[in-house]
Amino acid sequence: MTKPRRNVQFQHRGSNGQHGRRPSLSENSEAISEPSSPGPKGMNGKTECSTLQKEEPPLSEYEKKKQTFITRTIWTFVMITGFFIAMFSGHIYVIAIVTAVQIISFKEVIAIANVPSRAKNLRFTRSLNWYLLGSTMYFLYGESVIYYFKHIVLVDRVLLPFATHHRFISFMLYIIGFVFFVASLRKGHYRFQFTQFAWTHMALLLIVVQAHFIMNDIFEGMIWFFLPASLVITNDIFAYICGITFGRTQLIKISPKKTVEGFVGAWILTLIFGFGMTNVLMRYKYFICPVNDLGANVFTGLSCDPNPVFIPEPYNIDIPALMSKPLTLHIAPIQFHILVFASFASLIAPFGGFFASGLKRTFKVKDFGESIPGHGGITDRMDCQFLMGFFAYMYFQSFIAVYKASVGGVIESAIQGLDTEGQIEVVKGLAKYLVNQGQIEEKALRCLNEMVARR
């Protein structure tokens, strides 16, 4: 067996008499620059230097911000383009986007709750969250479909039982989840399980329930969805511009970058934007008509009798000291209502964002997720929109909606309030009325009477 050789010195260590010290980068560079440097390729400084040359230097703070800004800008235009394509393609596509947003937001909010390591092995915790989401969406979506499409649902043999017993079915679905939760409780994990149960209900209330009212806004007319959403977006942009331009006074501690000057300046600019945008959208029935055909798009359009709020009314301005004759302006009532919408979007809706900021600070996370590159999660972009959409629906129903008999409402009253004989009499009465009005032939009435007699 060969004895190991001692006192062997490698050439790069003894070249300058500095034994036991690694050569510096400058020394390595000098050694590489000498054409007659002895030693094998793997034993000199070439390998180390080439490795150092391949390693990219870390990005500066400016470069990081630049990359983030570029990514954020690109995805902003992607989202805006996709939104407008969906909006002009039809209401059903916007509803699909709202559905996707509420599901992803629910997932993000549930995920930020820290899960103790010992609780990760609990069975069915995540499954129960998704079950409660599904049962809640079944109830809320069913309520909307039954309310807006009674004339379709209530005359279908398959859908009628689900429509008439919808609330009981929804209640039993929730009770099943409740019983399942109680049965899954495990000793030593009670605090965590009840915390998760309460957290899930909070997410359902703040996200899914409010998104349900946004969907109702779409059914009432595209303008009641698009206008509130655009007010929130433009207010956020105006607040940023005013804040960096002349912002000095901090608005709220939970969001240090928000300033009073930006807050007030954005309010004024949002009022102007809302007044102008309303003047444009109210001219198109595709935006102002309620949904009566889910297959409609911007090319096929919609038809309806406009809500009186969209019909301009004359307003006389007479100030003798300033004008020789009265001035008459034609302004639609919606342009006054929109000032309330713009004020809510500017003064109240941002507190949805502040609430979300406080939530993230509580759990020590920067964003709710990474669903949108450069922006964070869906919830980071929708925190104000949920509150604004909820307000838009409540305000519309309280001050703008016109309540009158609908085909679906009449059918519902006949089905739920009359027995079979009464329903037949209603049909015969309507048929006779239509014959007298010349809308249908008398032969149709005779056929109806014969069919009723043979039953």
Side-chain angles (χ1 to χ4, degrees):
M1 185 173 178
T2 319
K3 293 183 179 180
R5 297 175 61 186
R6 299 181 179 179
N7 300 324
V8 177
Q9 295 179 351
F10 292 95
Q11 295 175 3
H12 69 278
R13 291 194 175 183
S15 58
N16 55 4
Q18 297 175 350
H19 300 291
R21 183 180 66 85
R22 292 179 62 86
S24 66
L25 182 59
S26 60
E27 291 170 353
N28 275 331
S29 301
E30 290 172 1
I32 292 171
S33 63
E34 295 175 3
S36 59
S37 298
K41 187 175 181 179
M43 303 298 289
N44 59 14
K46 280 188 180 180
T47 305
E48 288 186 38
C49 187
S50 60
T51 303
L52 290 171
Q53 287 176 344
K54 288 180 182 178
E55 291 181 359
E56 295 183 3
L59 294 175
S60 65
E61 194 66 26
Y62 170 78
E63 289 295 330
K64 289 179 181 178
K65 289 184 178 180
K66 182 180 177 182
Q67 286 189 0
T68 302
F69 176 78
I70 293 173
T71 304
R72 189 184 182 98
T73 303
I74 291 173
W75 276 95
T76 298
F77 281 106
V78 168
M79 289 189 294
I80 292 174
T81 304
F83 172 76
F84 276 100
I85 291 174
M87 185 174 66
F88 292 139
S89 298
H91 299 72
I92 190 68
Y93 297 99
V94 181
I95 291 171
I97 290 177
V98 173
T99 303
V101 165
Q102 72 174 344
I103 292 173
I104 297 173
S105 296
F106 177 82
K107 177 177 177 289
E108 291 175 347
V109 170
I110 290 296
I112 68 167
N114 293 326
V115 180
S117 58
R118 65 173 185 167
K120 289 181 180 179
N121 296 325
L122 283 175
R123 298 175 61 192
F124 308 125
T125 300
R126 186 174 298 178
S127 301
L128 182 61
N129 290 337
W130 288 106
Y131 175 82
L132 291 174
L133 171 65
S135 58
T136 304
M137 290 178 65
Y138 172 81
F139 169 67
L140 296 173
Y141 277 57
E143 289 288 306
S144 296
V145 170
I146 293 169
Y147 181 80
Y148 291 102
F149 300 98
K150 292 175 184 175
H151 58 288
I152 297 175
V153 175
L154 295 177
V155 298
D156 188 279
R157 178 177 297 180
V158 176
L159 297 178
L160 179 59
F162 291 97
T164 53
H165 304 103
H166 171 71
R167 292 180 179 177
F168 179 77
I169 294 171
S170 302
F171 175 73
M172 292 309 299
L173 287 174
Y174 177 79
I175 289 299
I176 291 171
F178 177 77
V179 172
F180 188 80
F181 165 73
V182 175
S184 66
L185 290 173
R186 286 176 54 186
K187 187 177 180 180
H189 300 286
Y190 294 150
R191 181 183 292 274
F192 167 74
Q193 289 181 291
F194 277 102
T195 301
Q196 286 293 101
F197 192 67
W199 183 258
T200 302
H201 281 72
M202 189 200 76
L204 292 173
L205 176 63
L206 296 180
I207 296 173
V208 182
V209 173
Q210 292 190 113
H212 158 71
F213 291 105
I214 294 176
M215 202 162 303
N216 288 350
D217 291 336
I218 299 170
F219 286 130
E220 294 291 354
M222 189 68 79
I223 191 172
W224 306 114
F225 164 75
F226 176 72
L227 202 53
S230 63
L231 289 173
V232 169
I233 294 171
T234 52
N235 178 259
D236 192 36
I237 295 171
F238 291 146
Y240 175 76
I241 294 173
C242 294
I244 63 174
T245 304
F246 48 81
R248 295 292 181 272
T249 311
Q250 188 182 63
L251 175 67
I252 189 169
K253 290 183 179 180
I254 203 168
S255 189
K257 294 183 180 180
K258 302 293 183 182
T259 63
V260 174
E261 293 81 2
F263 195 69
V264 175
W267 177 29
I268 297 170
L269 294 175
T270 305
L271 289 172
I272 298 171
F273 170 83
F275 192 89
M277 180 59 71
T278 303
N279 190 48
V280 174
L281 296 180
M282 61 182 284
R283 303 171 188 268
Y284 301 96
K285 286 193 173 183
Y286 179 73
F287 283 96
I288 67 175
C289 286
V291 179
N292 50 31
D293 179 12
L294 284 175
N297 55 51
V298 72
F299 300 106
T300 61
L302 290 169
S303 60
C304 67
D305 294 327
N307 188 307
V309 78
F310 296 112
I311 300 174
E313 298 178 359
Y315 293 89
N316 295 319
I317 301 176
D318 187 9
I319 307 176
L322 299 178
M323 54 183 64
S324 58
K325 60 180 181 178
L327 177 64
T328 301
L329 298 176
H330 289 81
I331 303 175
I334 181 61
Q335 292 179 293
F336 294 113
H337 288 293
I338 207 61
L339 300 180
V340 180
F341 278 71
S343 296
F344 188 92
S346 304
L347 305 178
I348 307 298
F351 282 85
F354 301 152
F355 178 85
S357 297
L359 203 60
K360 289 186 285 188
R361 289 176 184 273
T362 300
F363 291 99
K364 297 183 171 116
V365 294
K366 181 182 178 183
D367 297 311
F368 281 99
E370 298 177 352
S371 307
I372 312 172
H375 289 266
I378 289 286
T379 315
D380 294 289
R381 301 274 68 82
M382 294 297 296
D383 45 15
C384 301
Q385 295 287 2
F386 290 127
L387 188 60
M388 185 68 202
F390 193 4
F391 167 80
Y393 177 80
M394 292 302 176
Y395 187 90
F396 173 83
Q397 293 296 329
S398 300
F399 301 105
I400 298 175
V402 176
Y403 296 99
K404 58 183 180 180
S406 64
V407 175
V410 172
I411 293 174
E412 181 183 27
S413 299
I415 291 175
Q416 296 181 352
L418 298 175
D419 57 11
T420 305
E421 293 298 328
Q423 293 166 3
I424 291 174
E425 288 300 320
V426 170
V427 173
K428 290 168 64 177
L430 286 173
K432 187 175 181 178
Y433 170 79
L434 292 173
V435 169
N436 294 335
Q437 296 296 317
Q439 300 297 317
I440 62 174
E441 297 180 4
E442 190 174 354
K443 182 172 65 174
L445 179 59
R446 289 198 301 268
C447 291
L448 176 63
N449 290 329
E450 293 173 3
M451 293 175 64
V452 170
R454 289 199 301 265
R455 55 185 282 271

